[in-house]
């Protein structure tokens, strides 16, 4: 009687023979992997052509903000909308009267060697970092006059920074096109280091 019960229920070895188990598992595993790869490819394609694609790699809000700010100043000079400009006499009277926020768009080593007294360094090369460091001052001057300068001549950094500020909603941004070269050639006062 016991032998009849054991043959009726069967042993696990009888239901799944060992010799057939390996190829079936490999076939099923290959099918799962193929399905996962196809789903990943379809998801990436849909994301790529979406009107608002999601980033593949997570970025903190600060990293996303930096990337957006960097994009603002990355435009080639010929794509920049012309910003209003000021000459040396108007710039000098503005600096002396402290009637505008003065921004130096040159890299910090150049700024530290010499800059217009009272100027703040908002370098094109480090725009995102400098913008965050100056956020309080910049927001306080949101609707006030701002004049940006760089080296002068062929330097377009001041126009790039001015355009980025205009894109960020600053309403009264102009450029001193003569820049540091014209200011220093005129023998006007200079500050060094990080002092204003």
């Amino acid at each position: 009687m016991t032998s009849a019960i054991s043959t009726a229920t069967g042993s696990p070895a009888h239901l799944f023979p060992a010799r057939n188990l390996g190829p079936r598992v490999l076939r099923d595993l290959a099918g799962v992997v193929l399905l996962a790869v196809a789903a990943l490819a379809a998801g990436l394609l849909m994301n790529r052509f979406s009107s608002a694609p999601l980033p593949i790699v997570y970025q903190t809000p600060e990293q996303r903000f930096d990337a957006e700010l960097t994009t603002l100043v990355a435009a080639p000079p010929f794509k920049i909308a012309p910003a209003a400009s000021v000459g040396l006499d108007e710039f000098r009277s503005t600096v002396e009267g402290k009637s505008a926020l003065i921004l130096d768009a040159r890299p910090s080593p150049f700024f530290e060697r010499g800059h217009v007294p009272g100027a703040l360094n908002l370098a094109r090369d480090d725009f995102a970092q400098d913008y965050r460091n100056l956020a309080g001052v910049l927001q306080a001057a949101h609707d006030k006059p701002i004049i940006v300068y760089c080296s002068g001549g062929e330097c377009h950094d001041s126009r790039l920074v001015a355009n980025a500020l205009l894109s960020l909603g600053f309403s009264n941004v102009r450029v001193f096109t003569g820049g540091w070269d014209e200011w220093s050639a005129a023998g006007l006062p200079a500050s060094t280091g990080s002092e204003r």
Side-chain angles (χ1 to χ4, degrees):
M1 176 99 167
T2 53
S3 64
I5 295 173
S6 66
T7 56
T9 58
S11 66
H14 176 70
L15 294 175
F16 300 107
R19 60 186 157 99
N20 291 338
L21 187 61
R24 274 195 261 166
V25 169
L26 288 177
R27 185 187 70 219
D28 291 347
L29 184 60
V32 168
V33 168
L34 209 63
L35 185 61
V37 168
L40 177 64
L44 289 173
L45 279 172
M46 289 176 63
N47 186 52
R48 170 70 175 99
F49 296 109
S50 170
S51 60
L54 298 172
I56 301 301
V57 178
Y58 175 76
Q59 292 181 327
T60 64
E62 291 82 17
Q63 289 171 323
R64 289 193 304 269
F65 182 68
D66 287 356
E68 290 173 17
L69 289 177
T70 303
T71 302
L72 286 174
V73 296
F78 58 85
K79 290 186 177 179
I80 298 172
S85 60
V86 298
L88 179 61
D89 292 335
E90 184 180 352
F91 183 64
R92 180 180 182 177
S93 67
T94 302
V95 169
E96 290 171 352
K98 299 180 181 179
S99 56
L101 178 62
I102 308 298
L103 298 173
D104 188 324
R106 299 174 302 153
S108 60
F110 295 101
F111 176 81
E112 290 174 3
R113 281 188 221 139
H115 58 270
V116 173
L120 298 173
N121 192 210
L122 182 59
R124 182 194 61 86
D125 294 343
D126 296 321
F127 186 80
Q129 177 71 33
D130 289 349
Y131 185 87
R132 272 189 306 177
N133 291 341
L134 299 173
V137 175
L138 290 169
Q139 290 307 316
H142 201 268
D143 295 322
K144 296 178 182 172
I146 298 173
I147 301 178
V148 186
Y149 74 93
C150 58
S151 296
E154 296 298 314
C155 177
H156 296 287
D157 290 353
S158 56
R159 292 201 180 277
L160 291 164
V161 168
N163 188 56
L165 291 172
L166 288 168
S167 298
L168 288 167
F170 291 84
S171 58
N172 189 359
V173 182
R174 297 179 292 162
V175 174
F176 170 47
T177 54
W180 176 247
D181 292 346
E182 188 175 350
W183 180 269
S184 57
L188 295 167
S191 295
T192 57
S194 57
E195 70 181 66
R196 288 180 75 180

